[in-house]
Amino acid sequence: SNYEQDHGADLYRRSMYTYWKRTVVPPAMSAFDGADRESCRVLPRRTNTPLQALTLMNDVTFVEAARVIAQRALESSPDSTERINNIFQGILARQPNSNESAILSQGLAKHLKQFEATPESASQLATIGEYPLPESINQIELAAYTTIASLILNLDAAVTKQ
């Protein structure tokens, strides 16, 4: 049977089931070291590969997740540092150190400039996925914070257990 994507609230529910062929791991699970089911593995492998970064930066699931994380940060505070801290805390369960904060703040300023220069690209990024987007939200800011959330989601500490 063909897979049909749900919509609305059903799109975001957790599922205990994944369509899985006997010897073919689903592609996203394969990129993140999903078991191939051809042999028993006692301990999971831990790798960090370019395929993981490509999946995290391009798969609509992860791009939309970064957008929603950014959207919630925008709604949480008017202060950019506090927004970045909220994103960081939500993904890594800790506050950024001063060096990380400085890098993320510089990145945010750079992305804000880029999206101000190309508002159509900001709009494209801000509308990825089906999660509702309030009309009142500033899409340039949302796009810039989405790139910050995506960057944090790509950190090794977010991808692998530490």
Side-chain angles (χ1 to χ4, degrees):
S1 69
N2 291 333
Y3 171 79
E4 290 185 33
Q5 177 179 307
D6 277 325
H7 302 282
D10 289 343
L11 178 61
Y12 304 105
R13 71 169 188 251
R14 283 190 176 190
S15 175
M16 291 177 52
Y17 305 101
T18 297
Y19 184 70
W20 198 330
K21 294 182 181 177
R22 188 177 303 259
T23 58
V24 180
V25 180
M29 290 177 76
S30 176
F32 294 95
D33 302 321
D36 59 15
R37 295 174 32 144
E38 290 181 357
S39 60
C40 178
R41 191 178 315 147
V42 178
L43 295 173
R45 290 182 297 166
R46 282 184 44 198
T47 61
N48 193 345
T49 69
L51 283 177
Q52 291 172 348
L54 284 170
T55 301
L56 288 168
M57 295 178 80
N58 294 299
D59 186 292
V60 70
T61 302
F62 297 104
V63 175
E64 182 179 19
R67 176 181 68 85
V68 173
I69 291 167
Q71 189 172 317
R72 290 181 178 165
L74 283 172
E75 294 167 348
S76 71
S77 170
D79 179 62
S80 64
T81 303
E82 196 171 320
R83 289 172 175 174
I84 290 172
N85 289 347
N86 289 345
I87 293 169
F88 203 93
Q89 176 74 40
I91 295 171
L92 296 179
R94 69 174 178 84
Q95 289 294 308
N97 63 38
S98 59
N99 187 41
E100 292 165 335
S101 286
I103 291 168
L104 293 171
S105 293
Q106 289 170 2
L108 177 65
K110 176 184 164 191
H111 291 298
L112 280 169
K113 271 187 185 175
Q114 288 174 337
F115 286 121
E116 285 169 355
T118 58
E120 63 281 348
S121 63
S123 179
Q124 286 176 342
L125 183 56
T127 57
I128 292 222
E130 293 186 24
Y131 192 83
L133 181 68
E135 289 182 28
S136 61
I137 202 157
N138 181 325
Q139 290 189 356
I140 291 170
E141 275 191 316
L142 179 59
Y145 281 97
T146 298
T147 59
I148 296 300
S150 180
L151 182 146
I152 297 169
L153 281 170
N154 270 280
L155 293 174
D156 187 52
V159 176
T160 61
K161 290 182 181 176
Q162 297 251 338

